[in-house]
Amino acid sequence: MTLDRRSLLIAAAGAAAAQEPASAQPPPGRDPSGDAPTPDQQRRMAWWHDAKFGMFIHFGLYAAHGRHEWAMENEAIPVAEYQRFTAGFNPAPGAPRTWARLAKAAGMKYMVLTSKHHEGFCNWDTKFTNYNAVQYGPRRDIIKEYVEAARAEGLRVGFYYSLMDWHHPDGARCATDEAARRRFVDYTHGLIRELLTNYGKIDVLWYDVSWPLDAAGWESEKMNRMVFALQPDIIVNNRNRLAGDFSTPEQTIKAEAGGRAWESCMTLNDSWGYQKADDNWKSPRTVIRNLITCAQGGGNYLLNIGPQPDGGIPPESARILTEVGAWMARNGDTIYGADVCQPHTSVYANFTRKGNTLYMHVHFWPEGGDVAISGLKQKVLSAKVLKTGQALGVAQDGFRTHITGLPEAAPDAPVTVIALDCDGAPEQDTLNVRNNKPRAAVGI
Ligand code: GLC
């Protein structure tokens, strides 16, 4: 029997609910097993699962320095010297509109902006510290501009928040001094409360680095209870030392087992914050392949830009994302709302699935006018090139699904999608091919 992912999730949640008395239901945001989502998680996360693709934005004083967001630590820059970067941190009014427009053009459905990174500078009008964007640098509330910009483009809004803080006097000593911990945890909870109180509905809270405390030290259970009391529909990640709603593989794509939600976050070059000298850009094709791989495994792809100190988007980032967006405009239906897809083995293609339709995403177009899939168990009822609608030939011998009649040149770029309509949810059994495909009758 083949079930699509959503049916599996719903079945799992239903089974759990049936076994537990109502009073034992986990509170919102708690996922005691770390696996199967609770009904409340399914409700809050439905849009996010469909969205698949989001924009991460790392923007802070490190942009003015231009040497990576970890420079303060990795170059051991004294606080007084680092604070001077406030003078060069001058985003033009409306810069977040440019980010949001690019995100939308790239086919992204949500954005996550650093409200405070490890450097400790707050991008909003906070009453808890003067070290913020209204007192220094732009002298405007960047978070407010960002929230308005995302909403204007119809995108969901997320806040990244770093628990670790290299600027606050209690940021390190909170690990060894209880009075410092008390102050710093009150500060942290206070900042998060402000962020989730002053800017309307927020869709994602993306915690980062929990050094130097554990969940008990941060009072993370209380933190999440506050978050859900303020924003009942929000989703939170797992970086405040609790499971939260989703896992966060970083710079890698790693599907979670057991129905647990996951989102792979990745840089476009090697740096999150603006890093002038970093020219190690991913190609649009690599980005698209990564997005497909995430969708195949039931995950999301959160792809980063690190705007310049004036808020401008590095031209290479804009170029890559624009090309990705053009592809998404033609092929986004194969990504948004995709089901987990079991078939995954090919040396020149990746796969996504919607119901009984298998999408073969060919990134290296072979010569010869044909492609083939090993071990596809279902009957293919019809096949076509998605972009042109051209019908293709299909022959199946129990081991090979052979698709013929393809044009010599790839009809789409940088990845061409072939849609295969199957008689059931497609599954691939490559082991059967290895074991049972007839070998040579006689040795030669
Ligand atoms: C790491 C880095 C940080 C970046 C984050 C994004 O935790 O410390 O610079 O913001 O990854 O996932």
Side-chain angles (χ1 to χ4, degrees):
M1 182 173 69
T2 321
L3 283 176
D4 67 23
R5 175 160 178 276
R6 210 143 284 161
S7 318
L8 280 170
L9 299 186
I10 289 164
Q19 285 156 16
E20 289 183 40
S23 59
Q25 287 295 311
R30 279 281 305 283
D31 174 5
S33 68
D35 287 334
T38 63
D40 182 66
Q41 281 179 313
Q42 290 180 55
R43 176 187 69 76
R44 289 180 289 110
M45 300 192 77
W47 71 265
W48 183 88
H49 281 300
D50 284 347
K52 299 282 185 258
F53 196 21
M55 175 182 271
F56 215 172
I57 305 129
H58 276 67
F59 194 52
L61 302 181
Y62 40 84
H65 187 214
R67 286 160 67 152
H68 196 279
E69 80 284 355
W70 268 80
M72 181 178 179
E73 182 92 336
N74 279 353
E75 298 184 4
I77 303 171
V79 164
E81 186 182 323
Y82 193 88
Q83 287 178 169
R84 284 186 222 127
F85 297 137
T86 51
F89 184 52
N90 289 315
R97 284 304 293 266
T98 324
W99 313 337
R101 282 197 200 106
L102 181 63
K104 185 163 187 193
M108 293 156 157
K109 301 290 188 188
Y110 60 106
M111 303 172 80
V112 178
L113 170 68
T114 49
S115 59
K116 172 177 88 83
H117 203 262
H118 314 332
E119 66 179 7
F121 188 77
C122 295
N123 270 331
W124 74 100
D125 187 10
T126 172
K127 67 176 183 341
F128 290 94
T129 173
N130 287 335
Y131 201 45
N132 72 59
V134 176
Q135 303 289 329
Y136 295 95
R139 299 189 181 274
R140 302 190 316 274
D141 186 329
I142 300 303
I143 289 291
K144 181 168 181 287
E145 287 185 16
Y146 155 75
V147 168
E148 287 169 3
R151 291 197 188 119
E153 297 301 322
L155 302 171
R156 298 274 185 158
V157 182
F159 292 153
Y160 162 110
Y161 182 92
S162 172
L163 297 164
M164 176 164 76
D165 193 313
W166 299 325
H167 184 268
H168 192 284
D170 295 323
R173 70 183 172 207
C174 62
T176 50
D177 171 340
E178 174 52 24
R181 189 196 68 83
R182 183 70 268 147
R183 285 192 301 269
F184 192 50
V185 168
D186 287 347
Y187 176 75
T188 300
H189 287 220
L191 290 176
I192 295 171
R193 175 179 288 282
E194 262 183 356
L195 281 170
L196 300 184
T197 304
N198 295 347
Y199 300 95
K201 185 169 180 291
I202 303 303
D203 301 294
V204 182
L205 179 59
W206 215 101
Y207 298 116
D208 198 15
V209 186
S210 58
W211 186 91
L213 300 174
D214 59 13
W218 287 114
E219 303 179 18
S220 296
E221 296 272 0
K222 187 175 159 200
M223 187 187 288
N224 277 7
R225 272 201 304 278
M226 168 184 76
V227 167
F228 287 110
L230 294 168
Q231 299 278 345
D233 298 329
I234 204 168
I235 64 174
V236 301
N237 75 356
N238 62 344
R239 292 196 181 182
N240 69 344
R241 301 273 191 130
L242 298 179
D245 295 312
F246 61 98
S247 298
T248 52
E250 182 171 319
Q251 302 288 36
T252 180
I253 299 175
K254 192 171 167 295
E256 287 276 348
R260 175 156 169 85
W262 58 278
E263 172 187 70
S264 172
C265 56
M266 227 180 254
T267 46
L268 259 181
N269 50 2
D270 284 2
S271 317
W272 299 96
Y274 179 56
Q275 149 69 301
K276 272 183 214 155
D278 180 350
D279 59 358
N280 195 22
W281 300 103
K282 292 178 177 62
S283 67
R285 176 160 60 186
T286 295
V287 167
I288 291 167
R289 285 178 67 178
N290 286 339
L291 175 58
I292 294 164
T293 304
C294 288
Q296 182 261 333
N300 281 22
Y301 192 40
L302 185 66
L303 186 61
N304 184 72
I305 61 165
Q308 299 156 178
D310 65 357
I313 298 162
E316 271 300 276
S317 301
R319 185 189 67 76
I320 297 162
L321 292 182
T322 302
E323 197 172 320
V324 170
W327 186 88
M328 284 295 279
R330 297 190 294 274
N331 299 293
D333 284 350
T334 69
I335 304 290
Y336 305 123
D339 300 305
V340 170
C341 175
Q342 188 268 337
H344 62 279
T345 302
S346 167
V347 285
Y348 47 75
N350 290 9
F351 299 93
T352 59
R353 174 179 81 88
K354 267 190 174 171
N356 293 348
T357 303
L358 181 65
Y359 296 106
M360 182 179 192
H361 298 262
V362 184
H363 48 260
F364 300 142
W365 191 253
E367 284 183 2
D370 70 315
V371 292
I373 304 171
S374 173
L376 185 64
K377 287 160 71 177
Q378 283 63 36
K379 187 169 186 299
V380 176
L381 306 172
S382 65
K384 66 175 181 191
V385 175
L386 193 67
K387 186 180 175 202
T388 59
Q390 183 197 340
L392 301 169
V394 181
Q396 294 182 284
D397 63 7
F399 299 101
R400 176 170 64 170
T401 296
H402 196 192
I403 300 151
T404 55
L406 293 161
E408 273 306 316
D412 202 352
V415 173
T416 296
V417 187
I418 297 171
L420 306 168
D421 192 14
C422 302
D423 70 349
E427 290 177 320
Q428 189 180 32
D429 186 350
T430 52
L431 201 57
N432 178 49
V433 174
R434 184 175 302 173
N435 283 324
N436 299 320
K437 182 164 64 74
R439 309 263 160 168
V442 288
I444 49 166

